[in-house]
Structures are given as structure tokens and as C-alpha cells.
């Protein structure tokens, strides 16, 4: 569960920085406050909050597995100046030794295990301060 406390300077502070999820699929529930945004055609759009609905996000592994047919969506959370917000995310991941490989040719990405992917993400975050993600595994 994610808790986003009210923030007096919402234009300067993100609840969650722009990112893609390093999993296969994410099932997300947000409360009625709102704040989740995603990129479409290079622009940020707010996802209308609906506590009755679940949001399904495609993750990096789904993108690699589908050979870029499906895209891992860039998303972020903006803060609210007055109201606290909660969301719940379930990250659907394979086991660490699962090899991610597309059945399409030519393949956009080298095959990699989920463990290798997570280790690379962690290493890049430590080295560069941010995730590089799938571009690391381009053929
Ligand atoms: O709080 C949200 O709506 C998004 C959470 C999220 O993107 C994440 O936990 O990866
Ligand atoms: Fe996320």
C-alpha cells in the first residue's frame, strides 16, 4: 500500500517520480483523491480516480515478451496540497530464474532472466541515480 501525505508544494514535489514498473503486470487500486498520471503521445494525462475500478498497467517484462507490441507505460503520481491519498499495487512478477524472450523475429531485446533484469535496474539506480530499464537489453 502507498500513502501520499498532503504536500504544501505540489508543483515542486512528486508523490512518485516518473517510472515504468519492472514487472510483468501491475494491478492498481487508487482511492477517490487522484494523482496518478500517465504518458500518451508525449503528454501527461491524469487517470480519473475510480475506487470501484482496478487499473491494469503493462510492465517492462510484458513489453519485452511482446517484442514492443505492448508498451510499459510511463506513469507518475502528483501530490495533493490538502488531502492524503492511498493506493494499493499488486506487482505480478515471474520467478527470478524465468527467462524473458519474445517469440517474434527479429527480436528487439536479448533474452534475459527476471533476476538479471532486477539486478541491472538496481545497479543502474545506484550508479546513475535512475533506472535505465529495457534499453539496457536491446539486441
Ligand atoms: O500510487 C499510484 O497510483 C501508483 C503507484 C505506482 O506506480 C507504483 O507503486 O509503482
Ligand atoms: Fe508504478
Amino acid at each position: 500500500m502507498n500513502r501520499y501525505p498532503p504536500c504544501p508544494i505540489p508543483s515542486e514535489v512528486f508523490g512518485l517520480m516518473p517510472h515504468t514498473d519492472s514487472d510483468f503486470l501491475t494491478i492498481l487500486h487508487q482511492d477517490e483523491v487522484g494523482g496518478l498520471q500517465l504518458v500518451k503521445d508525449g503528454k501527461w494525462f491524469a487517470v480519473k480516480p475510480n475506487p470501484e475500478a482496478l487499473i491494469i498497467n503493462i510492465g517492462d517484462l510484458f513489453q519485452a515478451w511482446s517484442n514492443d507490441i505492448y508498451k510499459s507505460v510511463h506513469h507518475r503520481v502528483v501530490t495533493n496540497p490538502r488531502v492524503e491519498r492511498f493506493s494499493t499495487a499488486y506487482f505480478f512478477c515471474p520467478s527470478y530464474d524465468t527467462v524473458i524472450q519474445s517469440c517474434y523475429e527479429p527480436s528487439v531485446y536479448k533474452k534475459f532472466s527476471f533476476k538479471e533484469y532486477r539486478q541491472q535496474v538496481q545497479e543502474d539506480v545506484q550508479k546513475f541515480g535512475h533506472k535505465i530499464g529495457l534499453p539496457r537489453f536491446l539486441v
Side-chain angles (χ1 to χ4, degrees):
M1 176 173 271
N2 302 306
R3 172 178 171 258
Y4 303 91
C7 174
I9 43 169
S11 58
E12 288 169 49
V13 179
F14 281 120
L16 210 51
M17 296 288 282
H19 68 282
T20 59
D21 293 342
S22 305
D23 60 353
F24 191 76
L25 272 182
T26 307
I27 303 171
L28 192 66
H29 178 265
Q30 53 171 346
D31 64 14
E32 67 295 334
V33 176
L36 176 64
Q37 298 185 340
L38 55 82
V39 174
K40 192 169 179 269
D41 304 326
K43 281 192 216 143
W44 286 103
F45 288 89
V47 179
K48 197 174 156 193
N50 178 358
E52 309 266 296
L54 295 173
I55 297 156
I56 313 293
N57 272 348
I58 283 170
D60 299 344
L61 305 184
F62 199 135
Q63 178 170 336
W65 184 65
S66 74
N67 214 28
D68 274 358
I69 292 174
Y70 292 92
K71 295 288 167 63
S72 181
V73 66
H74 274 88
H75 54 287
R76 66 183 184 185
V77 177
V78 295
T79 45
N80 187 293
R82 286 171 302 276
V83 199
E84 183 179 49
R85 172 179 185 267
F86 289 95
S87 72
T88 310
Y90 175 79
F91 299 102
F92 180 61
C93 299
S95 62
Y96 270 136
D97 52 5
T98 300
V99 174
I100 309 298
Q101 184 179 21
S102 169
C103 59
Y104 294 101
E105 291 288 345
S107 183
V108 178
Y109 303 101
K110 294 176 224 163
K111 65 176 176 183
F112 56 83
S113 71
F114 181 45
K115 186 174 177 193
E116 280 174 287
Y117 192 69
R118 292 303 278 256
Q119 278 173 348
Q120 188 65 60
V121 167
Q122 215 170 18
E123 208 178 292
D124 290 339
V125 169
Q126 271 162 13
K127 220 189 269 180
F128 307 114
H130 61 88
K131 167 179 158 181
I132 294 176
L134 282 180
R136 271 264 181 240
F137 293 88
L138 285 167
V139 168

